[in-house]
């Protein structure tokens, strides 16, 4: 690696990594002219409040096999929160690494200038926008919808702004990335590429080779992994097959049913409302549902309202599973950003990049766990231990894998031999 | 029922009800000349800190089929505690029912007068006895052993006392029953019958038709229920068969493994030490073991020391599973005794006795759950809900069975047709 190396960052969940993600990585590299791609990837629990279908090591392997050079773990403190915190935590990881020049995200818009202009509103948090959000929430909207509607209203008053952008979910997430870069005073240059074929929330499979991760997981669970094969890079498919065969997937809420029900049934409403995201009476609905539901799916259905979205409920269940109380969350000092960068895997190029980053990173880069661990890092380890309780076949030593597993490595030569599908 | 009715009480776990228990019920009736037998039975969690092999309704059915006329539930607040609280809670239930004349318990001794003299020491709690207990504990003894050894020492100084009695476990439990009667100022007359054939803690089967419940459970789990058939009344055997076939047993700690491990792995040491029975550093040993063990059995083995006995660890796990903190326990006001009597089942004779008791009982007798529930009753319901999470096959509606199941009834005619084994 030398001074002229260009490095682009992507923010991902890879749940699992599919052809659309592969396209994104390729486009990120091409559009930015990057020599290396760094991915900040959620660990075991994801933004919509779900356990990942496969553990973070398996998902890092997928990423490395498909062109990502360095996979960093997004702390669970951020990975299971609102779009705003999710964006802030992951952008901060890229920023603090010190070697990333650009950030490339997918959006419906594809117009970075228009998004950036709009994003300054989010970063500035004007009182009127906050008022609009409160008004929208008062209508019984969920927070993401309220935030989107409020921004559309706020920006509509200004001819220089393209207010309609705020109505699309990936644009909204992009705006949060841009606002995070702004708040962090980051020198990372943002870029965006237009998302193709499948919407983020699209549940059906409509394109022969591209579908959303949601649609792929649904197909996998309902009709078997083979159904999803055309939608996945060959490596992703092989890794899913192998992990399922070894009893390490598919991971989903039902795998944690006994614990979730027991946690709810043993708690008082006051205890429950101490967990992050359990508010506005959600604790009572959860307790009531736990007494009557047979599955976690059914539990969530019973709790769901317009305000208590599926995502909000799942995030609350994640906090309850992890035992993450408001007090503990306060101790994480999330606004200060992650106080470490955790490496999940690298290619040979990624390894060289990492060596370079070690000189300039603003927080410690961890390939092994240190003896002294910050509350944020402790929470990641706790999340891994709890995730390990959901494997369909018990995995000896799994609660300690954060300590015992080595960083995933991927050989360039092997990679060169593998071809992705033609898109 | 008329004024001359004699009613004897027994205190039981029936885990499961076997031929030795049948012998005890028959002897209790014969030796006291009782017309009716009332059993106070542990609910879903037992004195050694274990889930019962079958739920309380199935175990109540066994009791009713074998000569018990009325089965009352011992609140879980007492049923999973030390011998002293276990005895106090269950004797208080019998006392408050208002219609029980005698209490009949098994002991190694069989000498009620000698036991009663010795029991006054326990009831009086002299400072020197307390000091002896502390000394024995300081040697690293478990609490039950320390209490036993201290009483032997204390009583040895007095020629009028048979100190050796205190060395046997069933005598010790009997002494606690006697002390409880004394503390409660109860008019219930204590009687004891000599235990036959199998010791309480005996793990092997040595008598052809009598074995301890421990030996029976071990045989059932290791070599199948059929092995235990000769040791069980026919009804007990049939109920065990039916419950196992329906996926409601065998219940044991392993059925709760995911929840136990998750509860331990998500807790901080400070949180854990807030649960009843988690003290003297047990929290650290539990946390360490949870990271390394594969099964609950293994977990307990890893934690076990001379001081931290199997029973103490299991009781701690019960408190952790139920979420029973020291603060919550304080709110139960255990020293005041149970504030309700919960009916699990009755025969026709039991039903008549219950009608009579309704007039004289000192606390409400519950055949249905009331709208207003005391903390102690809430804990029983919580225990049932958590127990329901451990069924091998999920049982729809099981978390609500405390509300929806009717009291077990047993027809006298059916009972008369059933013969127990000849002992």
């Amino acid at each position: 690696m030398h001074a002229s190396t260009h490095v682009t960052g992507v923010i991902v969940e890879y749940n699992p990594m599919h052809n659309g993600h592969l396209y994104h990585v390729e486009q990120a590299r091409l559009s930015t002219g990057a020599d290396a791609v760094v991915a900040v990837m959620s660990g075991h629990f994801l933004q919509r409040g779900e356990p990942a279908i496969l553990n973070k090591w398996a998902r890092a392997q997928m990423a490395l096999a498909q062109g990502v050079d360095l996979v960093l773990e997004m702390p669970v403190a951020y990975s299971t929160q609102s779009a705003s915190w999710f964006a802030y935590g992951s952008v901060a990881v890229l920023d603090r690494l010190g070697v990333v020049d650009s950030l490339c995200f997918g959006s419906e818009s594809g117009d970075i200038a228009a998004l950036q202009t709009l994003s300054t509103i989010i970063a500035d948090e004007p009182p009127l926008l906050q008022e609009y959000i409160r008004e929208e929430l008062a209508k019984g909207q969920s927070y993401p919808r309220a935030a989107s509607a409020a921004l559309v209203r706020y920006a509509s008053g200004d001819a220089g702004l393209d207010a309609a952008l705020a109505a699309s979910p990936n644009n909204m997430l992009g705006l949060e990335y841009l606002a995070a870069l702004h708040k962090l005073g980051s020198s990372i240059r943002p870029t965006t590429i237009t998302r193709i074929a499948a919407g983020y929330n699209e549940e059906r499979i409509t394109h022969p080779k591209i579908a959303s991760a949601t649609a792929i997981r649904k197909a996998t669970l309902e009709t078997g992994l083979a159904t999803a094969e055309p939608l996945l890079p060959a490596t992703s498919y092989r890794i899913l097959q192998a992990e399922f065969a070894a009893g390490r997937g598919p991971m989903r809420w039902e795998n944690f049913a006994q614990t979730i029900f027991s946690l709810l049934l043993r708690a008082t409403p006051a205890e429950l409302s101490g967990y992050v995201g359990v508010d506005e009476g959600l604790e009572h609905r959860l307790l009531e549902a736990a007494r009557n539901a047979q599955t976690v799916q059914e539990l969530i259905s019973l709790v769901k309202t317009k305000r208590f979205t599926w995502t909000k409920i799942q995030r609350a269940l994640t906090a309850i599973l992890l035992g993450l109380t408001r007090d503990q969350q306060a101790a994480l000092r999330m606004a200060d950003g992650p106080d470490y960068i955790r490496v999940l895997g690298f290619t040979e190029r990624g390894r060289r990049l990492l060596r370079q980053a070690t000189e300039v990173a603003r927080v410690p880069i961890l390939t092994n766990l240190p003896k002294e661990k910050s509350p944020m890092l402790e929470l990641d380890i706790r999340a891994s231990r709890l995730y390990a309780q959901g494997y369909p076949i018990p995995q000896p030593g799994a609660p300690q894998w954060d300590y015992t597993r080595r960083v995933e490595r991927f050989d360039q030569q092997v990679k060169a031999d593998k071809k992705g599908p033609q898109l």
Side-chain angles (χ1 to χ4, degrees), chain A:
Chain A
M1 296 277 157
H2 44 83
S4 69
T5 305
H6 292 299
V7 180
T8 195
V10 293
I11 296 167
V12 302
E13 297 208 300
Y14 291 163
N15 187 39
M17 188 176 195
H18 56 60
N19 289 339
H21 295 130
L22 174 55
Y23 170 83
H24 174 219
V25 172
E26 287 173 351
Q27 288 301 306
R29 194 188 295 274
L30 288 173
S31 68
T32 62
D35 303 296
V37 178
V38 176
V40 181
M41 188 183 80
S42 302
H44 288 137
F45 293 91
L46 309 181
Q47 214 244 330
R48 278 190 248 173
E50 289 172 312
I53 191 165
L54 292 185
N55 69 39
K56 60 192 181 187
W57 300 284
R59 283 159 44 242
Q61 284 165 20
M62 290 179 177
L64 297 172
Q66 300 304 329
V68 175
D69 296 294
L70 179 59
V71 184
L72 307 175
E73 182 174 350
M74 189 188 317
V76 72
Y78 299 100
S79 76
T80 59
Q81 302 303 318
S82 67
S84 172
W85 280 119
F86 177 91
Y88 186 74
S90 46
V91 168
V93 169
L94 290 175
D95 185 57
R96 286 171 185 194
L97 189 66
V99 295
V100 175
D101 314 297
S102 62
L103 163 66
C104 183
F105 59 89
S107 64
E108 288 87 0
S109 149
D111 180 348
I112 195 70
L115 289 169
Q116 207 151 9
T117 312
L118 199 54
S119 79
T120 55
I121 301 172
I122 294 182
D124 292 346
E125 300 178 4
L128 185 58
L129 180 65
Q130 298 307 312
E131 200 181 307
Y132 284 173
I133 293 176
R134 275 193 298 276
E135 282 174 23
E136 296 294 330
L137 284 173
K139 295 179 191 167
Q141 299 269 38
S142 68
Y143 189 86
R145 281 178 189 279
S148 169
L151 187 54
V152 170
R153 274 174 65 190
Y154 186 92
S156 298
D158 188 332
L161 297 173
D162 185 356
L165 288 178
S168 307
N170 285 286
N171 287 347
M172 273 302 280
L173 189 55
L175 292 172
E176 295 288 358
Y177 293 143
L178 295 168
L181 285 170
H182 187 78
K183 282 186 219 168
L184 289 161
S186 176
S187 61
I188 293 177
R189 176 177 55 86
T191 68
T192 186
I193 53 182
T194 312
R195 286 175 63 92
I196 52 159
Y200 180 54
N201 286 307
E202 184 69 65
E203 290 206 0
R204 285 161 306 126
I205 293 171
T206 48
H207 183 283
K209 291 190 172 173
I210 305 271
S212 72
T214 306
I216 291 171
R217 289 194 306 279
K218 200 165 169 346
T220 299
L221 294 172
E222 287 171 11
T223 52
L225 181 55
T227 325
E229 184 170 9
L231 307 163
L232 299 165
T235 329
S236 290
Y237 184 68
R238 273 201 304 275
I239 291 171
L240 280 160
Q241 265 188 323
E243 292 293 301
F244 289 5
R248 290 189 292 269
M251 300 291 277
R252 42 182 174 153
W253 269 124
E254 301 310 333
N255 302 32
F256 301 86
Q258 188 188 64
T259 302
I260 288 294
F261 278 95
S262 297
L263 285 169
L264 293 175
L265 293 169
R266 75 201 268 283
T268 60
E271 261 171 75
L272 269 196
S273 66
Y275 292 111
V276 171
V278 183
D279 49 22
E280 302 178 1
L282 180 56
E283 63 276 21
H284 298 292
R285 291 188 70 85
L286 283 169
L287 286 174
E288 181 63 23
R291 293 169 185 178
N292 297 297
Q294 303 301 313
T295 64
V296 181
Q297 188 87 358
E298 196 194 334
L299 174 91
I300 301 173
S301 304
L302 289 176
V303 173
K304 198 179 172 308
T305 62
K306 194 174 167 193
R307 173 71 72 87
F308 296 143
T309 60
W310 200 272
T311 293
K312 179 176 170 68
I313 300 163
Q314 289 199 135
R315 281 194 201 137
L317 292 181
T318 303
I320 292 166
L321 180 67
L322 301 186
L324 181 64
T325 61
R326 279 176 232 282
D327 288 350
Q328 285 184 19
Q329 195 187 41
L332 298 176
R333 307 172 63 87
M334 287 168 66
D336 293 351
D339 49 15
Y340 55 92
I341 292 173
R342 185 94 179 275
V343 179
L344 286 176
F346 46 67
T347 59
E348 181 49 32
R349 193 191 287 136
R351 196 187 59 75
R352 291 198 304 269
L353 180 64
L354 204 57
R355 201 186 301 148
Q356 184 187 333
T358 310
E359 308 290 314
V360 292
R362 264 155 289 162
V363 291
I365 298 176
L366 310 178
T367 49
N368 293 305
L369 290 181
K371 209 169 157 55
E372 293 298 318
K373 288 173 279 285
S374 69
M376 199 175 274
L377 183 53
E378 290 280 8
L379 186 64
D380 285 344
I381 298 168
R382 197 198 287 178
S384 278
R385 290 192 164 129
L386 284 154
Y387 186 84
Q389 304 308 310
Y391 289 126
I393 299 174
Q395 305 285 316
Q400 294 298 82
W401 280 351
D402 264 342
Y403 288 84
T404 55
R405 283 188 74 132
R406 293 192 55 197
V407 166
E408 302 294 334
R409 285 155 194 261
F410 193 84
D411 187 284
Q412 286 298 111
Q413 196 49 49
V414 177
K415 182 157 125 186
D417 294 344
K418 284 185 191 154
K419 271 205 182 134
Q422 296 302 310
L423 298 175

